[in-house]
Amino acid sequence: MVGSSHEALHRIFQKDPALLTRALQRVLHVPFPEPREIAALNVDLTEIEPVERRVDTLLRAETDEGTYLLVVESQGKADDRKRGSWPYYLSYLYEKYRCEPVLIVITQSSATAKWAARPIRFGFPGWNSLTVRPLVLGPDNVPVIADERQAERDVPLAVLSAMTHGRGPQAPAILESLASALRTIDSDSAAVFVQFVDSCLADPQAKQMWRGLMTAIQYFWRHPLAEQVREEGREEGREEGRIEDRRQMVLRILEWRGISVPDGIRQRVGSCTDLDQLEVWAQRAVRAADAAELFATE
């Protein structure tokens, strides 16, 4: 089970390897040739010496122009140790497979993206013995997919959009569009994508909204991640604590989406002691145009 954004950000390309070449072509505008075949490889780059080196995801792409090794690294923050490890990975892979390696870095941080995009140069000024130029996917170039039809046309790219833009003001529209698009693919793939997005959403309101959307379409609760969430709920303790938490969730989702909450509605939510009713309101809060729609059918 994917338990972190680091894992999800690169493993989405293991789930759909062709997404990586589409991202190179459409997002970074790199004229990467269309693969005839693409497959995941062993990520272990350990040598006989007791030094373990692993890339995050490694794919081999067969194209009409040759075979390429696509090295995907998920990066949370700047790390100057990569100045040594990334060139090593590329050199080692070329020596092992005799194929051209291509380094792609994916991140949720604009600052990290700018850092990662800087070329790594070895040698003296004016004569570089080695230059490494990573290709970087991040919030500044991955498209914001907030339209349902656009999300349906390329669900994996819509997932990548949600994973990289899940903390911004456009997150509600992105998550809603993706939730609708997931209905158009098989449930097993949808469950995996649900977990990738859930792992990458650092904003508590965004995560609550996503889980509410997934509960509504019943994909989320088929996945092992659901048991983790149910366990978290059991650990919250007494019934009153769960009720208060759900009251706050209803109000936070509305406020996070920029919807004004009048005092009367705030009081009605705050006085409700029915956990099932609060769950219904929380799901309605995800899509409501105004706070009164919480009670539209009551």
Side-chain angles (χ1 to χ4, degrees):
M1 185 178 71
V2 175
S4 69
S5 61
H6 175 92
E7 287 289 310
L9 281 170
H10 70 85
R11 281 182 58 183
I12 185 175
F13 299 115
Q14 297 176 16
K15 170 63 179 172
D16 186 348
L19 171 63
L20 185 56
T21 58
R22 294 201 301 277
L24 294 178
Q25 295 164 352
R26 301 177 191 177
V27 178
L28 299 178
H29 305 293
V30 173
F32 191 85
E34 195 66 32
R36 295 190 308 272
E37 180 183 349
I38 189 166
L41 301 179
N42 191 329
V43 300
D44 192 347
L45 306 184
T46 306
E47 297 186 79
I48 296 176
E49 293 82 357
V51 178
E52 184 175 311
R53 298 180 187 272
R54 293 177 183 269
V55 296
D56 287 333
T57 286
L58 180 62
L59 305 171
R60 180 171 59 204
E62 304 284 352
T63 78
D64 291 337
E65 300 176 21
T67 300
Y68 296 89
L69 299 175
L70 305 179
V71 184
V72 185
E73 285 283 281
S74 174
Q75 196 68 29
K77 60 183 180 180
D79 183 354
D80 287 337
R81 292 175 298 178
K82 299 298 184 180
R83 175 179 168 83
S85 60
W86 284 345
Y88 171 86
Y89 295 163
L90 301 181
S91 298
Y92 177 87
L93 287 168
Y94 179 78
E95 180 65 21
K96 180 176 181 178
Y97 293 101
R98 291 295 168 175
C99 301
E100 298 293 339
V102 180
L103 175 61
I104 301 101
V105 178
I106 181 166
T107 180
Q108 294 176 290
S109 164
S110 294
T112 303
K114 292 177 182 176
W115 164 82
R118 294 201 301 261
I120 300 171
R121 295 187 175 95
F122 291 158
F124 58 85
W127 191 273
N128 298 317
S129 300
L130 175 66
T131 301
V132 175
R133 297 179 59 195
L135 295 165
V136 182
L137 293 167
D140 295 331
N141 55 16
V142 172
V144 172
I145 299 181
D147 177 78
E148 181 178 331
R149 291 182 180 178
Q150 186 181 2
E152 290 177 359
R153 285 195 293 270
D154 194 335
V155 175
L157 187 60
V159 173
L160 186 62
S161 177
M163 290 162 63
T164 51
H165 297 285
R167 65 181 66 189
Q170 300 178 91
I174 294 172
L175 297 178
E176 287 181 2
S177 298
L178 176 58
S180 296
L182 288 175
R183 298 173 185 267
T184 66
I185 65 174
D186 67 277
S187 59
D188 288 340
S189 293
V192 174
F193 288 144
V194 165
Q195 187 186 6
F196 286 158
V197 175
D198 191 88
S199 297
C200 285
L201 292 175
D203 185 301
Q205 281 72 37
K207 181 162 288 193
Q208 287 284 9
M209 178 181 180
W210 179 243
R211 291 182 174 182
L213 285 166
M214 293 303 97
T215 301
I217 63 176
Q218 297 183 339
Y219 282 143
F220 180 76
W221 301 108
R222 299 179 194 169
H223 200 277
L225 180 63
E227 182 56 35
Q228 173 188 332
V229 176
R230 286 192 286 268
E231 184 63 29
E232 290 172 357
R234 287 192 288 268
E235 290 174 356
E236 288 178 2
R238 296 176 298 177
E239 183 76 4
E240 181 57 37
R242 290 194 292 271
I243 290 173
E244 180 59 28
D245 179 71
R246 196 54 51 91
R247 290 170 182 158
Q248 294 302 316
M249 184 180 75
V250 173
L251 299 174
R252 283 199 304 268
I253 289 175
L254 291 172
E255 292 167 352
W256 181 65
R257 295 183 62 220
I259 295 175
S260 176
V261 183
D263 289 342
I265 290 178
R266 190 178 298 274
Q267 291 171 5
R268 182 171 176 180
V269 172
S271 62
C272 181
T273 58
D274 186 333
L275 193 60
D276 291 335
Q277 181 63 73
L278 289 166
E279 178 65 35
V280 171
W281 290 347
Q283 293 183 24
R284 290 178 185 169
V286 169
R287 295 183 178 277
D290 59 66
E293 287 190 16
L294 293 181
F295 323 117
T297 60
E298 299 169 17

